[in-house]
Amino acid sequence: MSRILKIIALSAFTALSGCGNSPGINPLFIRAADAQGADRAHRSVERPYMLRPNDQLRVQVYNEPSISGDYQVDSAGYISVPLAGRVKASGRTAGQLEQAIVAALSRGMLKDPRVNVQVSNYAAFYIHGEVKKSGEYPYRPGLTVMDAVATAGGFTYRADESKAVVRRAGDNVDSVVPLDRTISVSPGDNIKIPERFF
């Protein structure tokens, strides 16, 4: 009986070894490829952009030229729209703001208003510390911390090129982020490149 079990076990081992040596069927390679694909998919999924103070918006209300126009989100996070009043914009997506404006206009004189909101200009971001040109720069979607460093002329010779200190817009807390990872920047963010210790 034990001899039969040994033969079965040896046959199973041989079959598995053959599969492992077959081109394109290495289970370790498949697992690694799947993990890399999942990681790429995870990184490619972007969160919808949340509106912030100082964003400039283009609001179009169809057949209502007196309401359509350019609006800036104020420091409190609102825009003032004729016939709709002050509408909260900050912390909402453009689509959510559209719905809020539709609801506000529907309570007034307009029936079934159609609204479109687009960001025409984002709030700036700020970078300082050990970069060649500290200052305020225009934000663009997809911006990363390393892109921000390049926009500011690159690192100085004193810079610690391994990390940055980021304060997100609206936060009072600084976060240290590693520069060997892709770190996204949002409008209004404040980035500091620290000095390295010699």
Side-chain angles (χ1 to χ4, degrees):
M1 186 69 164
S2 61
R3 185 177 176 187
I4 294 172
L5 289 174
K6 285 180 183 178
I7 292 170
I8 293 171
L10 183 60
S11 300
F13 176 78
T14 304
L16 287 173
S17 298
C19 288
N21 292 330
S22 300
I25 312 182
N26 187 335
L28 293 177
F29 174 79
I30 292 171
R31 279 192 218 105
D34 287 346
Q36 289 171 359
D39 185 49
R40 277 196 302 273
H42 176 72
R43 280 181 284 152
S44 66
V45 175
E46 293 186 1
R47 294 179 183 176
Y49 176 70
M50 297 295 185
L51 300 172
R52 300 169 186 269
N54 298 321
D55 282 346
Q56 293 181 1
L57 310 177
R58 176 68 181 166
V59 178
Q60 184 175 4
V61 183
Y62 294 96
N63 298 321
E64 295 294 337
S66 62
I67 302 175
S68 298
D70 296 317
Y71 297 87
Q72 182 167 345
V73 183
D74 65 23
S75 59
Y78 287 80
I79 60 172
S80 295
V81 180
L83 302 180
R86 280 172 55 81
V87 181
K88 178 78 170 175
S90 185
R92 289 176 163 166
T93 65
Q96 290 169 339
L97 179 58
E98 287 173 4
Q99 293 172 3
I101 294 172
V102 165
L105 290 173
S106 296
R107 290 192 294 268
M109 299 167 50
L110 297 182
K111 291 185 178 179
D112 193 28
R114 290 184 299 149
V115 177
N116 179 265
V117 174
Q118 293 181 333
V119 180
S120 56
N121 210 352
Y122 296 90
F125 73 91
Y126 306 88
I127 183 166
H128 57 100
E130 297 304 325
V131 289
K132 293 178 180 174
K133 297 177 183 176
S134 296
E136 174 184 322
Y137 291 93
Y139 171 82
R140 66 179 187 279
L143 189 79
T144 67
V145 171
M146 287 303 292
D147 294 335
V149 170
T151 301
F155 297 109
T156 67
Y157 73 93
R158 296 183 301 272
D160 181 346
E161 299 183 20
S162 68
K163 62 187 177 186
V165 180
V166 178
R167 178 173 291 191
R168 298 296 184 186
D171 287 349
N172 294 320
V173 178
D174 292 335
S175 300
V176 177
V177 298
L179 293 182
D180 60 351
R181 296 184 184 178
T182 301
I183 306 296
S184 297
V185 175
S186 296
D189 282 358
N190 197 304
I191 304 163
K192 180 181 179 181
I193 302 300
E195 184 177 354
R196 64 187 166 93
F197 295 103
F198 292 92

